[in-house]
Amino acid sequence: MRALVRRHDSVSQRSPIRPAERTLAGVKAQSLRAMNLSLALRHILAHPGEISRSGISQATGITRATVSRLVDELIGADLVIETDPPAGARGRPANRLVPAPGSAVALGLEINISQISALLVDLTGAEIASARIDDDFAGSAPDEVVTRLAALAHDLVADALPPGALFLGSALALPGLVAPNALTLAPNLGWRDIPFDSLLAPLAELSPAIVANEADFAAFAVANPLPGVPSGPASFIYVSGEVGIGAGIMVDHRPLSGARGWSGEIGHICADPAGPVCSCGATGCLEAYLGLRALARRSGLDRAASLDDIRAAAERGDEPVLAALTEGGAALGRALAAVINSVDIPLVLLGGIVGELGEWLIEPAREEISQRVLQSAWSSPRIEFLPDSRNLTARGAAHRILQRLVDDPAAWTGQHR
Ligand SMILES: [Zn+2]
């Protein structure tokens, strides 16, 4: 490990606050250079292996000489590599620029109800390694779970971090309401009001810099499929499902976070006031139909039935399972119709167990949406499922850490400290 960088923002749930030198009064040559360094890196990340120094100059309007200095700085920091021109290129072909594989690495961490996981991602977006433990964490002791996660992640970093790599730190995803300095509530874990000081203590050596809701991280990964490259859909609702159901809502590539960052709790939108009791204490919440445990119970399966058990039963044509899925899909459609009518977002992406079971859920959901969304007759919202979103939350967490490097490479390369 080259350096365990500890220069990070105070733990925050949303985009980190810009460093002070970015304020208007402080926009001097040095910070302009820092911004241009970020701009150059973003162009290289967006067009790896295609863009040259002069290509960056043309795209940004920065002079060729300045771009060359910026690129030299990125190469000197091991963030970028210059490759030979493509074979067969005509004239005086220019060298191409690519992000350096395995040189800057972030750790995404997730705690959920039925699993904890860790994922290492580098600046190219490559998954270096991952590890996961499946268990039942409902009603668990927070310090025990975080200590297990820390051990899992320490082993992963020790085994898989490439020699000489810059370790950028970690971000932690939690299934609930996350405030700026504390986990407020994770109802299915049975955790509430835990300050980060104590919650994150076992992870201290892994430099946890960002903590956020799991669906929000997953939505970030959908919007930014590669680190620093916002090439995913701009505005969408990402539905995340495990034991709980949540959503990350993005508008124009920005999270629709709400006043305190607690938006997206669609699992607790009422699908039927006369419906089953939810873990939150209310009745008829979406989660009481479509959460993993709820679905198992309503399907007549064992409470501990896994997603694979439910899928297998559905594929066999098991009637109670199919009925529970149809009902769950309809409840999902009613909840989504409320969201779409409120905030006008034309695209819904189903992830987690909701994505894995999408083939049974999507038609009943579509039917409710087309009936209940006022705009449907003019512009029908699209609803699609992501059949494999297993790592999306941890990936989003890692991408958020990598984004901090992309936003301000100078802070990490030690040029402007
Ligand atoms: Zn509820």
Side-chain angles (χ1 to χ4, degrees):
M1 193 184 304
R2 198 190 317 158
L4 194 62
V5 175
R6 292 181 182 280
R7 182 182 184 273
H8 56 73
D9 309 319
S10 62
V11 168
S12 67
Q13 182 189 9
R14 301 292 167 184
S15 294
I17 295 164
R18 299 288 182 199
E21 70 246 27
R22 294 266 186 91
T23 58
L24 192 58
V27 176
K28 299 179 189 147
Q30 196 175 65
S31 61
L32 181 63
R33 187 147 177 264
M35 283 188 274
N36 284 341
L37 197 63
S38 169
L39 194 59
L41 180 55
R42 279 184 273 137
H43 275 276
I44 295 166
L45 293 172
H47 308 284
E50 293 168 14
I51 200 156
S52 62
R53 293 174 190 237
S54 61
I56 294 173
S57 176
Q58 281 165 17
T60 60
I62 305 172
T63 65
R64 172 70 211 261
T66 301
V67 166
S68 262
R69 280 198 299 275
L70 296 170
V71 168
D72 286 343
E73 192 173 328
L74 293 171
I75 291 173
D78 290 341
L79 298 177
V80 165
I81 294 173
E82 200 154 37
T83 65
D84 292 335
R90 294 188 188 179
R92 288 180 52 208
N95 291 345
R96 306 291 152 147
L97 299 162
V98 291
S103 78
V105 178
L107 176 65
L109 300 169
E110 180 180 10
I111 294 175
N112 220 314
I113 321 304
S114 66
Q115 51 103 7
I116 55 178
S117 63
L119 173 69
L120 280 173
V121 180
D122 76 7
L123 187 58
T124 71
E127 294 190 3
I128 304 275
S130 64
R132 137 191 192 122
I133 297 173
D134 293 305
D135 203 339
D136 185 355
F137 296 104
S140 57
D143 56 335
E144 282 174 24
V145 177
V146 180
T147 300
R148 274 179 85 181
L149 177 63
L152 183 78
H154 272 287
D155 288 350
L156 186 74
V157 171
D159 292 346
L161 193 71
L166 178 67
F167 180 69
L168 299 168
S170 59
L172 173 64
L174 294 168
L177 302 180
V178 182
N181 292 305
L183 170 69
T184 303
L185 177 67
N188 290 303
L189 289 172
W191 299 4
R192 63 162 63 217
D193 296 321
I194 309 173
F196 289 159
D197 282 354
S198 59
L199 185 72
L200 302 180
L203 297 168
E205 287 181 31
L206 299 164
S207 300
I210 304 170
V211 183
N213 174 274
E214 49 91 21
D216 290 347
F217 276 136
F220 187 80
V222 171
N224 300 270
L226 292 171
V229 185
S231 58
S235 301
F236 60 92
I237 302 164
Y238 173 81
V239 178
S240 145
E242 213 236 23
V243 170
I245 304 288
I249 303 173
M250 301 288 287
V251 178
D252 289 340
H253 280 113
R254 293 173 186 277
L256 189 70
S257 310
R260 288 154 303 169
W262 292 345
S263 79
E265 290 296 333
I266 68 159
H268 303 284
I269 291 180
C270 184
D272 177 3
V277 177
C278 175
S279 67
C280 73
T283 56
C285 295
L286 170 61
E287 191 169 299
Y289 291 92
L290 203 49
L292 181 61
R293 304 270 185 266
L295 206 47
R297 192 170 51 244
R298 297 181 73 75
S299 299
L301 301 174
D302 187 83
R303 178 188 179 278
S306 67
L307 170 64
D308 290 343
D309 297 335
I310 294 171
R311 272 198 72 97
E315 278 162 3
R316 283 198 307 271
D318 183 302
E319 284 297 335
V321 172
L322 293 175
L325 287 169
T326 301
E327 198 175 41
L332 175 67
R334 290 196 284 276
L336 286 171
V339 178
I340 297 166
N341 275 325
S342 307
V343 294
D344 176 26
I345 294 182
L347 174 63
V348 178
L349 298 170
L350 307 179
I353 71 158
V354 185
E356 304 264 355
L357 297 169
E359 60 194 277
W360 293 282
L361 301 173
I362 208 158
E363 281 313 319
R366 276 187 183 137
E367 205 166 302
E368 292 285 337
I369 287 173
S370 69
Q371 256 180 41
R372 293 172 190 278
V373 172
L374 199 61
Q375 56 175 270
S376 285
W378 291 269
S379 169
S380 188
R382 273 165 56 211
I383 173 166
E384 297 170 4
F385 58 92
L386 305 174
D388 184 15
S389 56
R390 184 165 277 214
N391 273 343
L392 211 48
T393 291
R395 171 172 274 279
H399 283 196
R400 281 284 303 274
I401 295 291
L402 287 156
Q403 186 71 44
R404 298 163 75 237
L405 169 70
V406 175
D407 285 345
D408 193 5
W412 299 84
T413 58
Q415 300 298 310
H416 299 291
R417 290 189 187 177

